[in-house]
Amino acid sequence: ETQVVVDLRSEHARLAKELRRHADRAKLFSGAAGGGGDVDVEAGPSHVREVLQERKHTTNALRQTGDTLEQARETRADLAAQREALEGSTATAAGMLGRLPTIDGVIQAMRQKKVRENAVVGVTIGCCASFLLWAVLF
């Protein structure tokens, strides 16, 4: 009879330890699938508290990392939009530069025409003055 009691007590202690281990594990992983939720870190044995505290820190670090990555994605999108705007400006400037040689050619032609007209007027005035002097002196 004493042997049966000892066996039952050892079986009871083993089962109680197993139940505590399963309860600690369930508490530790509670909310892991649902995003981690708020877990009371101060409840339970010290080793569970330490693991729960570590999980809380890890969850916060992952959340901050996710926020930083999201901010980086937004910054990248903003920079891509700025790049597209600058490429459009560059294309417009290149188009203007493409037209500038034509405009420069027109301006040069106008200058040459003005010089030619001035030369013709000068020669005409010179001929008239020469003819007038010839007519007066002879």
Side-chain angles (χ1 to χ4, degrees):
E1 180 175 310
T2 312
Q3 182 63 26
V4 173
V5 172
V6 170
D7 286 342
L8 287 176
R9 282 188 181 157
S10 67
E11 184 69 18
H12 179 268
R14 186 185 66 78
L15 288 175
K17 183 178 178 183
E18 188 74 21
L19 282 173
R20 274 194 309 276
R21 193 170 60 90
H22 282 297
D24 289 346
R25 179 178 289 184
K27 185 174 184 177
L28 179 63
F29 292 111
S30 68
D38 292 333
V39 177
D40 184 15
V41 177
E42 299 302 319
S46 65
H47 67 282
V48 174
R49 280 192 302 244
E50 292 170 4
V51 173
L52 288 174
Q53 187 72 28
E54 185 65 30
R55 187 179 85 178
K56 181 179 175 184
H57 291 302
T58 303
T59 303
N60 289 339
L62 288 173
R63 186 178 303 119
Q64 289 175 351
T65 303
D67 292 344
T68 303
L69 288 174
E70 184 61 32
Q71 191 176 27
R73 283 186 199 101
E74 291 172 3
T75 303
R76 181 175 184 243
D78 290 343
L79 289 174
Q82 286 179 3
R83 182 185 68 228
E84 289 175 10
L86 288 175
E87 285 174 351
S89 299
T90 303
T92 303
M96 292 297 290
L97 288 175
R99 286 186 226 136
L100 283 179
T102 306
I103 294 170
D104 189 44
V106 169
I107 292 172
Q108 281 290 11
M110 290 169 61
R111 285 183 184 153
Q112 288 176 353
K113 186 175 180 181
K114 185 177 179 182
V115 167
R116 220 175 308 132
E117 287 175 353
N118 287 339
V120 169
V121 169
V123 168
T124 305
I125 291 174
C127 286
C128 288
S130 297
F131 181 73
L132 207 88
L133 282 174
W134 179 73
V136 170
L137 293 177
F138 294 110

